[in-house]
Amino acid sequence: MATPAVDAVTRRTNRSCHARRCSNSGCTLPLAGAPRTRVLINLEHDQAPVSRQEPHCDYLFVSDGGDGNPEWVAPIELTTGRADSRKFLRQLTAGAAVADRLLPRNIPLRFRPIAAYDGQMRRAERDNLLIPANKITFRNQSELARVVRCGSPLMKALTG
């Protein structure tokens, strides 16, 4: 059964941009263990609700929160090669803006921006993502990006 947030995003997006896997250029976040009631939007798809000229993250994940908890909303940026904290912050902030446009205001949500990387991330880049001034804001919630390695389960990023 759909939840209010999943239903809203499903109705407000073209089904052709709905994804079954969270994967881009060899970086994957497995969905094993993620709530079954979910929608994963590929924001790189031609029919995605973003302008090609604007920055945007790779995916937007919305799901049931489980056990009566608020639903999840998670912009996700995946990268291979050298990780750049400024790019992560720009893309995830843009993903939060997409989520804000798609989700009704009256639904309680838990916000978790996720930055996944494969390859190298210099200590300075990782530290930059953990500076409180670099929190990503979605409505009344400000969160640091959850930094995980490609191949980590999505649920680890959401709950870890």
Side-chain angles (χ1 to χ4, degrees):
M1 180 165 77
T3 61
V6 171
D7 185 53
V9 172
T10 300
R11 282 186 290 108
R12 293 177 177 177
T13 54
N14 188 312
R15 288 199 184 269
S16 65
C17 67
H18 296 187
R20 294 182 193 268
R21 296 181 64 227
C22 187
S23 181
N24 188 17
S25 302
C27 181
T28 300
L29 293 182
L31 298 176
R36 286 195 165 316
T37 303
R38 65 181 180 236
V39 62
L40 179 66
I41 306 300
N42 179 350
L43 295 177
E44 294 288 319
H45 192 278
D46 290 341
Q47 299 299 314
V50 295
S51 165
R52 295 292 113 203
Q53 289 72 41
E54 298 175 52
H56 56 277
C57 60
D58 294 315
Y59 289 93
L60 181 64
F61 177 80
V62 179
S63 79
D64 178 20
D67 298 326
N69 290 312
E71 296 176 72
W72 290 109
V73 58
I76 302 168
E77 179 66 18
L78 308 171
T79 193
T80 56
R82 201 175 114 218
D84 178 347
S85 61
R86 290 171 300 180
K87 180 181 177 192
F88 274 134
L89 293 168
R90 182 175 59 250
Q91 307 294 70
L92 293 171
T93 298
V98 171
D100 189 44
R101 289 193 307 263
L102 292 174
L103 289 158
R105 294 226 170 247
N106 62 339
I107 299 172
L109 298 163
R110 287 185 288 179
F111 176 63
R112 294 289 186 273
I114 300 170
Y117 72 100
D118 191 22
Q120 295 183 327
M121 179 179 280
R122 291 181 18 241
R123 181 183 221 65
E125 296 294 335
R126 185 177 196 77
D127 290 349
N128 194 40
L129 288 171
L130 301 177
I131 295 171
N134 285 335
K135 287 183 175 182
I136 298 157
T137 301
F138 170 75
R139 298 182 180 165
N140 63 345
Q141 300 178 57
S142 292
E143 293 283 333
L144 292 171
R146 303 288 172 107
V147 181
V148 297
R149 296 289 300 199
C150 295
S152 299
L154 176 63
M155 285 310 293
K156 176 183 176 185
L158 287 174
T159 60

